[in-house]
Amino acid sequence: MMTHITALRKNLSKKLPAIAMAAFIPVFITACSSQPKTTLPPTVSSIKNIDQQLAGAQRLNYPERASLTLEITRKLLQKDPARTRKILDQLPYEQLPKRIQAELAVQQARIAQINHQDWAVFEWLDREAVIISSNTEINAQAHILKALAYSRFGEYQAALDEWLLAGPYLTETEREPHYDSFWQTLLHVPAERLNSLYQQEKSQSLKGWLTLALIYQTGQSLDQQLTGLEQWKRDWAYHPAHKYLPGNFETLKSSSTERPDKIAVLLPLSGRLAKIGEAVRDGMLASHYEAMSKGELLPELQFYNTQNSKINDLASKAIEDGAQLIIGPLNKSRVKELNSDITHRIPVLALNYLDDITDQLSVPGTAAQQANDRTGLFQFGLSAEDEAVMAAERGRLDGHRTAIIITPDTEWGKKINTSFKARWKELGGEIVGSATFDAKTQFSSLTGWLLHTDQSEARAKQLNRLLGERLGFQARRRQDIDMVFIGANTQEARQLKPALAYQYAGNIPVYATSSAFSGITNTSQDRDMDGIRVPIMPWLIPGASSQLEQQILALWQQSRTQLGSLYALGADAYKLYPRLQQLSSLQGSQLQGLTGSLSITPNGKVHRELSWQIFRNGRLKPLPIVKPKTPEGQLSRKRAIKPTSTDNLALYALEAQSQQ
């Protein structure tokens, strides 16, 4: 018997070669044979309310009852997904005909998508009934829902495959609502994949989308991009992607000619922060020399030591010396001290943030909100608070609802605790426990207290005393925890994960900031961290080093230590300086850097998109799409999510937590 996975592979192998002739938006083959849509019988259509309609359906026998119920819930779904889900959960999926199973699965997947349970989208749509369905509406919805889910997990190449597969099943009217999502997918797909698809594609309209997305790739200078955009406007005068062109062409043209000839770099080059400042400086110089080897125009770099200097006086002196751009300062307090008149005179790329709470959490009156009013100020740094927010977002995306937090009793620990907690609650999650540690903490005792295994053991001892005999007993931990978030360095993380396992919580997913990884693979010691999930910058991903990273590692021995990320920060700061206006004006443009995929928000904050990795046998591996052990919704069985693109390096798997 053909399994749903076998069917998926065969179905994809038939469909993917046809992508070139059935490209997405707006060149879908609209002349595809369309399946007639089931309509409600007149007697049902005339019923005035949902309860009466459902009551009418209850009087029928299966499968007619299920078919009619699905027609009713189709209208109810957007208005009341919670009630729709309760109704659908009562239908006997396994006993229904395949065509009804497919409709039920798609509706359940739509509800999962609305509830941000994207792992469940795959759970429902990778079923045999959906895969073999010949209903064009089912096929279109299935591919669209999977494309959206893949995008939320950052698997953009797989998302693009799904958009292309959806194409032939959609009408002209049905395409338009998905333009934005499709465009965002294209912006995240590597240029190599876009170029490859362009060479294979015969449809001129899809080539218009691909050409525009390639122009947005920031390997080009701003003036080259603007020339390309103007040419695109002439070549594709009636293309629907016109809505994604910038409206301020003239402003961008003027800024493209204002590339600074002299840059002042404000860093601590003496005192206790000297090594940090020197690492950033050397990273910048590495990028500078790389640009020189490529024959690019080079600015003059002048370094100023911020140690024992007033930052505004130093910035003013740099301007008087002819600086047209300032990079720095590095220390957060120095960034906060910068007067707005400095940033009004010349652009400043600060190497820290006014406030580490992310844009989504900023409120009027905070430093983050005040940054919106600072024209000319751009903020770029390696924020642990941002990573804590990423952990909250990924945890919720993976389907977890309740969390405990373990962080050090330091200012750094308090900040990431606050950041994680705020974002987690904003996303509808619940914090069921929190604990801090210091250098004297016994992690087994701390985790036992947090997981309530100490209480379980105390109850057992009490029973032994009361009964006067020793009972066979195994302690139990509390059962209301879906995940653990930890803030820890490498040594602490290597102790925390085994301590959780000792307290019967070895199968609970653990998320951490990148500080848990030392930057150097040590399989024998890092096995203790197996199962910990971390957001990792490209600089730290084993086996993925760029030519620039290799040069830095060869030139500076210190770059092989935990200072390495600061070399990456300096290198990316240099790459960012000529593209500040470019990235902030062409929203969606990105720069692939050593510290992440970089973009700039409207308020000037550089956003880093990182890769989620998981420790397996002491090594970092791409984090699969994971089904929660205790999902918020009850689904029938576990399935592996297979890639829809054979050249996608990411893992597409739905793993049981017991495999961690």
Side-chain angles (χ1 to χ4, degrees):
M1 179 178 176
M2 181 185 295
T3 67
H4 78 287
I5 293 299
T6 304
L8 173 61
R9 287 175 175 163
K10 291 187 176 181
N11 203 35
L12 289 175
S13 66
K14 294 177 182 177
K15 292 179 179 179
L16 279 171
I19 291 175
M21 297 299 295
F24 192 76
I25 308 173
V27 292
F28 299 114
I29 302 175
T30 56
C32 286
S33 59
S34 58
Q35 298 291 325
K37 297 180 180 179
T38 308
T39 56
L40 282 172
T43 53
V44 176
S45 298
S46 63
I47 299 177
K48 293 183 179 180
N49 61 64
I50 294 295
D51 290 331
Q52 289 176 318
Q53 293 180 43
L54 290 171
Q58 290 295 318
R59 290 192 287 270
L60 301 177
N61 295 323
Y62 285 107
E64 288 78 11
R65 179 193 296 184
S67 182
L68 192 53
T69 299
L70 290 172
E71 288 291 344
I72 297 167
T73 54
R74 183 185 297 180
K75 297 184 296 182
L76 179 65
L77 196 151
Q78 284 298 127
K79 297 178 181 178
D80 193 346
R83 185 183 181 195
T84 302
R85 183 175 180 174
K86 289 180 180 179
I87 295 169
L88 297 181
D89 286 346
Q90 296 175 10
L91 297 178
Y93 180 88
E94 298 296 343
Q95 283 73 51
L96 298 174
K98 286 288 189 289
R99 62 180 179 82
I100 299 178
Q101 283 184 345
E103 170 69 21
L104 172 56
V106 166
Q107 288 197 28
Q108 289 279 27
R110 285 181 63 195
I111 294 170
Q113 195 259 338
I114 291 171
N115 292 334
H116 304 295
Q117 297 172 352
D118 291 85
W119 56 269
V121 170
F122 301 110
E123 178 77 6
W124 284 107
L125 298 182
D126 281 347
R127 298 180 179 220
E128 183 181 3
V130 178
I131 294 168
I132 67 175
S133 175
S134 60
N135 184 299
T136 58
E137 184 178 359
I138 294 293
N139 291 332
Q141 289 187 55
H143 288 306
I144 289 170
L145 288 167
K146 290 175 78 171
L148 294 171
Y150 273 129
S151 291
R152 291 198 65 193
F153 278 106
E155 305 291 0
Y156 296 107
Q157 295 200 57
L160 177 58
D161 288 338
E162 295 296 339
W163 283 122
L164 295 173
L165 288 169
Y169 304 113
L170 295 174
T171 66
E172 183 72 27
T173 304
E174 291 168 333
R175 298 172 200 140
E176 190 170 352
H178 305 295
Y179 283 170
D180 288 351
S181 297
F182 178 66
W183 175 240
Q184 287 302 313
T185 298
L186 287 179
L187 290 175
H188 285 83
V189 172
E192 295 79 10
R193 175 74 193 284
L194 297 179
N195 272 315
S196 175
L197 188 56
Y198 182 91
Q199 296 300 323
Q200 301 170 20
E201 186 51 50
K202 296 181 180 179
S203 164
Q204 290 302 306
S205 191
L206 178 59
K207 284 190 171 184
W209 285 99
L210 296 173
T211 303
L212 185 59
L214 283 166
I215 292 171
Y216 268 68
Q217 298 279 346
T218 53
Q220 308 175 79
S221 64
L222 179 55
D223 55 337
Q224 289 175 323
Q225 279 190 309
L226 291 174
T227 300
L229 289 172
E230 289 188 315
Q231 183 63 47
W232 189 93
K233 284 178 68 177
R234 292 191 292 270
D235 294 344
W236 306 96
Y238 302 103
H239 198 281
H242 266 263
K243 64 185 288 190
Y244 302 108
L245 292 173
N248 54 341
F249 262 101
E250 295 306 316
T251 303
L252 286 173
K253 281 182 183 177
S254 64
S255 67
S256 71
T257 62
E258 297 172 358
R259 185 165 177 158
D261 297 319
K262 187 171 184 178
I263 298 175
V265 185
L266 313 184
L267 293 171
L269 299 175
S270 62
R272 64 183 183 87
L273 297 179
K275 288 187 177 181
I276 293 174
E278 289 168 357
V280 175
R281 177 199 63 193
D282 293 343
M284 290 185 63
L285 291 174
S287 276
H288 184 78
Y289 296 142
E290 182 187 53
M292 181 187 298
S293 68
K294 294 179 179 179
E296 297 179 8
L297 292 174
L298 300 176
E300 177 187 347
L301 297 178
Q302 186 165 350
F303 294 88
Y304 295 80
N305 187 359
T306 58
Q307 179 70 11
N308 299 324
S309 298
K310 293 183 178 179
I311 198 63
N312 288 296
D313 292 344
L314 204 59
S316 296
K317 184 180 187 307
I319 295 173
E320 291 170 5
D321 291 343
Q324 297 165 308
L325 173 76
I326 291 175
I327 297 180
L330 181 63
N331 187 279
K332 181 190 292 290
S333 62
R334 296 298 182 94
V335 177
K336 292 181 178 180
E337 290 171 8
L338 269 179
N339 291 333
S340 58
D341 64 317
I342 298 291
T343 59
H344 286 152
R345 293 166 68 185
I346 63 172
V348 175
L349 175 59
L351 298 179
N352 215 315
Y353 299 104
L354 288 172
D355 195 299
D356 285 310
I357 300 297
T358 60
D359 295 334
Q360 301 99 308
L361 300 179
S362 61
V363 295
T366 65
Q369 187 65 30
Q370 293 162 9
N372 295 336
D373 303 324
R374 290 210 182 191
T375 304
L377 176 64
F378 299 90
Q379 303 168 64
F380 174 44
L382 307 178
S383 168
E385 290 91 323
D386 279 353
E387 293 184 14
V389 169
M390 293 177 201
E393 292 172 345
R394 181 66 195 227
R396 284 298 284 149
L397 188 60
D398 286 341
H400 308 306
R401 190 183 65 81
T402 58
I404 60 174
I405 306 173
I406 306 175
T407 51
D409 188 17
T410 62
E411 284 302 312
W412 180 84
K414 291 174 183 176
K415 287 179 180 179
I416 62 171
N417 185 306
T418 299
S419 298
F420 177 87
K421 189 178 298 182
R423 187 61 176 148
W424 187 254
K425 290 181 177 178
E426 185 182 54
L427 293 171
E430 180 184 356
I431 305 296
V432 296
S434 182
T436 61
F437 61 87
D438 57 29
K440 298 179 180 179
T441 299
Q442 294 292 322
F443 287 118
S444 59
S445 299
L446 177 71
T447 52
W449 170 79
L450 198 54
L451 295 166
H452 295 177
T453 52
D454 58 346
Q455 297 178 20
S456 178
E457 291 170 348
R459 286 192 295 270
K461 291 178 180 178
Q462 185 179 18
L463 282 173
N464 287 338
R465 286 196 301 270
L466 289 173
L467 298 175
E469 60 180 296
R470 187 173 183 81
L471 301 174
F473 169 78
Q474 181 175 343
R476 288 175 54 84
R477 65 167 174 84
R478 59 193 296 184
Q479 299 297 306
D480 61 342
I481 302 169
D482 292 339
M483 65 161 280
V484 179
F485 170 67
I486 65 172
N489 61 30
T490 305
Q491 294 299 326
E492 292 160 349
R494 287 172 180 164
Q495 297 176 67
L496 270 169
K497 189 64 170 67
L500 288 165
Y502 180 75
Q503 301 294 350
Y504 311 101
N507 64 337
I508 297 181
V510 178
Y511 295 74
T513 60
S514 61
S515 58
F517 179 48
S518 67
I520 302 173
T521 299
N522 186 329
T523 54
S524 61
Q525 294 187 38
D526 288 347
R527 286 177 186 273
D528 288 336
M529 294 193 289
D530 277 359
I532 294 183
R533 299 145 168 82
V534 286
I536 297 293
M537 67 174 74
W539 171 273
L540 294 174
I541 296 177
S545 58
S546 65
Q547 184 176 357
L548 177 58
E549 181 177 350
Q550 291 173 10
Q551 291 173 348
I552 293 173
L553 292 171
L555 285 171
W556 291 285
Q557 189 66 29
Q558 288 291 326
S559 66
R560 298 176 180 273
T561 68
Q562 290 189 320
L563 290 173
S565 58
L566 294 166
Y567 285 83
L569 175 68
D572 281 358
Y574 186 89
K575 288 180 176 293
L576 274 171
Y577 93 82
R579 299 178 172 89
L580 294 175
Q581 293 299 329
Q582 184 178 1
L583 293 171
S584 57
S585 299
L586 300 180
Q587 286 297 303
S589 291
Q590 297 181 75
L591 172 66
Q592 301 305 318
L594 297 178
T595 61
S597 179
L598 309 178
S599 58
I600 299 180
T601 65
N603 70 351
K605 181 176 180 179
V606 177
H607 173 72
R608 294 188 304 132
E609 187 170 325
L610 306 182
S611 169
W612 275 96
Q613 305 275 310
I614 186 170
F615 281 97
R616 297 288 195 203
N617 298 318
R619 296 181 183 274
L620 285 175
K621 302 290 183 181
L623 176 62
I625 298 172
V626 177
K627 174 184 174 182
K629 185 178 181 182
T630 309
E632 293 181 21
Q634 296 300 316
L635 299 175
S636 64
R637 55 182 174 145
K638 304 168 185 174
R639 287 181 177 79
I641 301 174
K642 297 297 181 182
T644 54
S645 173
T646 55
D647 61 351
N648 193 347
L649 298 179
L651 299 178
Y652 303 94
L654 194 69
E655 297 185 345
Q657 296 292 346
S658 59
Q659 296 173 336
Q660 296 165 15

